Amino acid sequence: MSATANVTKIDFYEVLSVSRDASDQELKTAYRKLAMQYHPDRNPDDPTAEEKFKECSEAYQVLSDPEKRAAYDRYGHAAFNGGGPGAGGNPFGGAQDLGDIFGDLFGEMFNMGGGGRKASRVQRGRDLRYDLTLEFEEAVFGKEKEITIRRMETCIDCKGSGAAKGKAPVTCTQCGGRGQQRFQQGFFSVARTCSVCGGTGTLIVDPCQTCRGETRVQTEHSILVKVPAGVEQDTRIRYQGEGEAGKFAGPAGDLYVVLNVKAHKFFEREGDDLHCVMPISFPQAALGTELEIQTLEGEATIKIPEGTQSGKEFKLRGKGVPHLNSHGKGDLIVEIRVQTPGKLTKQQKELLRQLGETMVVENTPTSRGLFDKMKEIFS
């Protein structure tokens, strides 16, 4: 008569030496400590170390998954081996709908079988943004400015491996370096990211003292930004490879310099044209005159013919903004506004009365279109 041995598994919380209300970070910290202590590559002559490593890996795999942890807290080990929702050794618990099983597999593969490939640890770095403020004239004529950014760069001491000098990351025994764990679900072979190595396929047992195993360090970096003439508000300048370095010596992201252009005290920009308003007196409008106006490139002269009406626009060609990455410039458009004085002396009032007696205007309402035609006739 044969006897069946009853083997009682150790409580997963006891395996990791954490309380039952431990946070995700506490679980991760406890597991890393034990994984480094019992990893087979660090204990080649200790057969019990591998068993303890597998034990703590299994405990972390369950407790780091919210659904599995909830099932374990309720049913214990029976949740995964015949006594609870996960009966039959199904690593996905009691989910009967394939949608429940595949819902969290975004970005990973599932197929009708096959082995899967070895994982790559290399990750591209993040893109960075820098907001650069320019004076109005700097945006028009271009400018070179040096900026300083903070970014993650590949650790020089470990060259991005994350391991201490003379050491190297070791192969994850849980997934065999593939970065994925494969489970059979009916006709499907389902791959999930390895919960032990996070999909990298390796573990850093002896971390670099400089980057603490993170493979990168934060530094300050200076870049000379060349702003071309004619840029506008919110123009983006891309500097390829000047973003953060990728993990495990991965390619760097890009840097995007976004321009913010200050307003000018009297010029307004529309495309590559500049607009401004020039106030003149009634005598200047009636008799005509020449005016000096300040452009972005110096002074220019505008000839105001006699009888100029308020709102008349004069165009100074080539006095606007340079065309971006091209030849030529926009124009400067000056709008004339006839200014009515708010206060007059006694003598000025008398002179205007005399002038008014010689100029009769029929004060009858009319449409705006007809009024504009009348202005053209009398101008």
Side-chain angles (χ1 to χ4, degrees), residues 27 44 82 122 147 150 177 206 264 267 293 316:
L27 288 170
V122 174
I147 64 173
R150 293 186 64 82
D206 295 299
H264 194 271
F267 287 131
I293 183 171
L316 299 180

Side-chain angles (χ1 to χ4, degrees), residues 30-328:
Y31 169 68
R32 280 185 172 179
K33 181 179 179 181
L34 292 171
M36 290 175 61
Q37 180 179 351
Y38 294 117
H39 197 282
D41 289 347
R42 300 190 71 180
N43 304 274
D45 300 322
D46 186 358
T48 62
E50 183 174 356
E51 291 301 318
K52 290 184 177 180
F53 179 79
K54 290 181 178 179
E55 192 175 62
C56 67
S57 296
E58 181 186 10
Y60 180 70
Q61 182 182 9
V62 171
L63 298 183
S64 62
D65 185 308
E67 292 185 8
K68 291 182 182 179
R69 183 176 181 179
Y72 179 77
D73 288 344
R74 187 172 183 181
Y75 299 102
H77 295 292
F80 308 105
N81 55 18
N90 178 5
F92 301 103
Q96 299 302 315
D97 186 353
L98 289 180
D100 294 335
I101 297 172
F102 298 141
D104 62 349
L105 300 183
F106 179 77
E108 300 177 22
M109 71 179 215
F110 56 91
N111 50 37
M112 298 299 291
R117 56 188 178 183
K118 192 175 181 65
S120 173
R121 299 181 302 155
V122 174
Q123 300 176 22
R124 182 182 183 276
R126 288 193 310 129
D127 293 336
L128 296 179
R129 168 178 172 147
Y130 185 94
D131 293 299
L132 178 61
T133 299
L134 299 173
E135 297 295 335
F136 190 87
E137 289 82 359
E138 291 176 335
V140 171
F141 299 115
K143 185 73 175 180
E144 289 189 357
K145 284 199 169 188
E146 187 175 78
I147 64 173
T148 301
I149 60 173
R150 293 186 64 82
R151 69 182 185 185
M152 300 298 291
E153 295 186 355
T154 299
C155 178
I156 297 176
D157 290 344
C158 68
K159 296 180 174 58
S161 71
K165 190 173 183 179
K167 302 289 184 179
V170 297
T171 301
C172 175
T173 58
Q174 189 74 9
C175 64
R178 291 184 297 274
Q180 294 180 334
Q181 294 173 280
R182 189 166 294 281
F183 305 98
Q184 195 72 28
Q185 177 65 29
F187 293 103
F188 292 96
S189 177
V190 184
R192 300 188 69 181
T193 298
C194 177
S195 60
V196 176
C197 66
T200 64
T202 59
L203 293 173
I204 299 173
V205 180
D206 295 299
C208 169
Q209 295 300 309
T210 303
C211 66
R212 301 180 183 275
E214 293 298 324
T215 76
R216 302 177 303 171
V217 292
Q218 191 174 68
T219 62
E220 287 192 348
H221 181 68
S222 295
I223 296 174
L224 183 64
V225 175
K226 296 182 179 180
V227 179
V231 295
E232 297 185 72
Q233 174 72 22
D234 295 327
T235 296
R236 297 197 313 168
I237 303 176
R238 177 189 176 206
Y239 288 89
Q240 188 173 5
E242 292 291 354
E244 290 195 339
K247 284 190 173 183
F248 302 103
D254 300 330
L255 169 66
Y256 290 90
V257 178
V258 182
L259 305 181
N260 175 48
V261 182
K262 291 183 179 179
H264 194 271
K265 57 183 178 181
F266 56 83
F267 287 131
E268 292 182 5
R269 180 174 176 177
E270 292 184 8
D272 289 338
D273 292 335
L274 296 177
H275 292 257
C276 70
V277 174
M278 174 74 80
I280 64 174
S281 68
F282 172 73
Q284 287 176 315
L287 301 175
T289 186
E290 286 191 0
L291 300 175
E292 295 295 322
I293 183 171
Q294 186 68 38
T295 73
L296 291 177
E297 301 178 61
E299 290 190 343
T301 302
I302 300 178
K303 291 185 177 181
I304 308 296
E306 60 181 59
T308 295
Q309 302 296 312
S310 188
K312 176 72 174 178
E313 291 183 342
F314 294 88
K315 183 181 292 185
L316 299 180
R317 297 193 178 278
K319 296 297 184 181
V321 179
H323 301 317
L324 182 62
N325 299 325
S326 183
H327 300 291

